[in-house]
Amino acid sequence: MDRYLILNGPNLNLLGTRDPHTYGSQTLADVEDACRSWGAELGVQIETAQSNHEGALIDTLHDARLVYDGIVFNPGAYTHTSYALHDAIDAIGIPTVEIHISNVAEREEWRQKSVVRPACVATIYGRGTDGYRAAIRHLFHRSEWPAEVVRYADHADGVMDVRRPATEDRRVGVVLVHGGFWRHMWTRDIMDGLAVDLARRGFHSANVEYRRLRTGGGWPVTVHDVTQAIEHFRTTANLESLAVVGHSAGGHLALMAQAGATSPYLPVSLGGVLDMEHALAEDIGGGAPRAFLGGASPADASPIVHAAAGETVVVHGTADDRVPVAQARRYADVNDQCEYIELEGVGHFEFLERSDPAWMRVVEVLTRRLQT
Ligand code: DQA
């Protein structure tokens, strides 16, 4: 059984009363309780610690050696200044996820810099206290089926997690493209569980990162990143057959990335944004399509216009409250080679849970369509 330490730094003992608008209304005890139950869901043992003192945090990190398999660490304001904490994380060699409750990238300039980040295996921020859950799950999925982090481009987001199946006789692969309305605080960790599930089922999987809004992305840069990642994976894993599965805004990218690809793949959209003109008109994702387009015409960046031919799979739930099912219906109407699957009563996020029937349905499609 894996054992993780949830370590909180200065001022986090005041959670619940400290600036609730920024940090939420949960107390530290609430967050620690929630972490224990999130750990229990995965069969992981969770222990917690908090200190306001840099030296005490360093001692706790040293004592974690040979005890814990992973650490979720919110260093508070020490994040922005403490090279000593960076060195401690680096020295102990335990996979550590840096976590921030608030959206540090959109706050004061001094909070946008983290000196501990280079020593950490991932950074999760801006997702409220649910970010602790994401961090625990990331550690768990790393440990249950380790990935090789492969660089496909020379920028910070030009990376993907490649997982190989136990037996490599089938040269069949799946690229996963995460969603999050192209916003920077959503990263590929949300697809980790699916990436492991696919490897377990005999697929080579690549969970790709790409530049997002505020990290150099937007139209058309983000689409090019995804194309480049797909090409890199296909050639390095020597694949005969490939699907690119995108969730939400990742569905948009999975379809649009085809234009620049050197050979076809099967694009699969799960709750995807497929009609940019309507997405803009209906202001889905709280202004995200406008920010993504940055002044470009929505028609130029719309799958329903530019990826409306060729074999595609579109899966959408009728109860999706983030991306309306009408997007998928309109797309399926114009592309007669689209296998359209509408899931009654399913919402936007069920696809991300590998035990959910919505994801099972996707696995069934991939298994059938990617036979070699
Ligand atoms: C924080 C962000 C830091 O900038 C701040 O000093 C904190 C909390 C967060 O969780 O958002 O104390 O780490």
Side-chain angles (χ1 to χ4, degrees):
M1 183 192 252
D2 271 4
R3 205 169 161 194
Y4 302 156
L5 174 66
I6 313 296
L7 180 59
N8 281 291
N11 301 309
L12 291 157
N13 54 316
L14 299 182
L15 278 180
T17 53
R18 172 192 182 199
D19 188 4
H21 177 71
T22 304
Y23 298 114
S25 55
Q26 288 194 307
T27 64
L28 180 61
D30 293 337
V31 174
E32 290 175 341
D33 281 348
C35 287
R36 277 185 277 274
S37 18
W38 291 324
E41 281 169 15
L42 303 169
V44 169
Q45 191 181 327
I46 298 288
E47 281 159 45
T48 62
Q50 188 275 332
S51 173
N52 292 325
H53 306 280
E54 188 178 19
L57 290 166
I58 292 170
D59 289 343
T60 304
L61 288 166
H62 291 177
D63 292 345
R65 264 178 309 184
L66 306 177
V67 178
Y68 296 103
D69 304 290
I71 300 175
V72 175
F73 188 18
N74 185 343
Y78 285 136
T79 304
H80 317 298
T81 58
S82 177
Y83 294 101
L85 283 174
H86 166 281
D87 283 357
I89 298 165
D90 202 35
I92 60 175
I94 302 174
T96 299
V97 177
E98 173 193 7
I99 153 108
H100 304 288
I101 298 166
S102 65
N103 187 351
V104 279
E106 293 183 27
R107 296 183 65 194
E108 301 94 319
E109 210 175 322
W110 58 269
R111 283 187 212 275
Q112 296 176 22
K113 179 179 169 205
S114 165
V115 300
V116 302
R117 192 155 306 169
C120 296
V121 295
T123 299
I124 289 171
Y125 62 89
R127 307 189 204 172
T129 50
D130 281 356
Y132 287 86
R133 175 175 188 260
I136 292 168
R137 289 166 74 95
H138 180 64
L139 287 172
F140 178 73
H141 292 129
R142 278 175 57 93
S143 117
E144 69 169 343
W145 201 290
E148 183 192 349
V149 182
V150 173
R151 177 158 293 285
Y152 69 85
D154 194 20
H155 52 78
D157 291 314
V159 289
M160 56 184 158
D161 299 330
V162 173
R163 287 182 166 89
R164 294 188 170 75
T167 55
E168 301 218 17
D169 42 331
R170 288 171 71 223
R171 311 303 313 172
V172 179
V174 179
V175 170
L176 291 165
V177 188
H178 72 83
F181 283 117
W182 312 283
R183 290 199 173 100
H184 56 91
M185 69 279 244
W186 295 103
T187 52
R188 66 193 188 285
D189 64 278
I190 53 183
M191 308 295 263
D192 285 342
L194 307 185
V196 170
D197 190 53
L198 289 166
R200 202 172 263 153
R201 292 174 189 276
F203 298 95
H204 293 250
S205 75
N207 187 9
V208 309
E209 201 46 88
Y210 50 81
R211 283 175 286 185
R212 305 168 304 286
L213 296 170
R214 298 178 75 106
T215 64
W219 170 259
V221 170
T222 302
V223 174
H224 293 160
D225 284 355
V226 173
T227 304
Q228 215 180 332
I230 294 167
E231 296 284 296
H232 191 92
F233 179 52
R234 193 208 308 264
T235 44
T236 50
N238 188 23
L239 298 171
E240 284 163 11
S241 144
L242 179 69
V244 178
V245 177
H247 175 246
S248 194
H252 166 270
L253 297 170
L255 267 72
M256 292 303 291
Q258 264 187 124
T262 52
S263 48
Y265 58 79
L266 179 69
V268 180
S269 162
L270 312 178
V273 180
L274 303 177
D275 183 337
M276 285 296 268
E277 279 171 287
H278 276 80
L280 200 63
E282 291 162 19
D283 195 30
I284 68 165
R290 186 174 310 281
F292 178 74
L293 289 166
S297 147
D300 287 349
S302 192
I304 202 167
V305 178
H306 289 279
E311 298 204 7
T312 344
V313 178
V314 168
V315 193
H316 218 108
T318 60
D320 192 323
D321 60 355
R322 305 296 162 113
V323 180
V325 67
Q327 292 253 332
R329 287 180 185 158
R330 276 197 295 272
Y331 179 86
D333 277 349
V334 301
N335 185 351
D336 57 11
Q337 283 179 282
C338 171
E339 178 180 347
Y340 178 48
I341 300 170
E342 192 165 294
L343 300 177
E344 190 56 40
V346 168
H348 191 62
F349 295 106
E350 284 88 328
F351 296 109
L352 302 180
E353 287 297 329
R354 64 191 181 193
S355 56
D356 194 281
W359 173 248
M360 293 298 153
R361 192 65 193 276
V362 178
V363 168
E364 177 274 311
V365 174
L366 292 173
T367 309
R368 173 166 45 80
R369 301 286 301 256
L370 293 180
Q371 292 290 358
T372 51

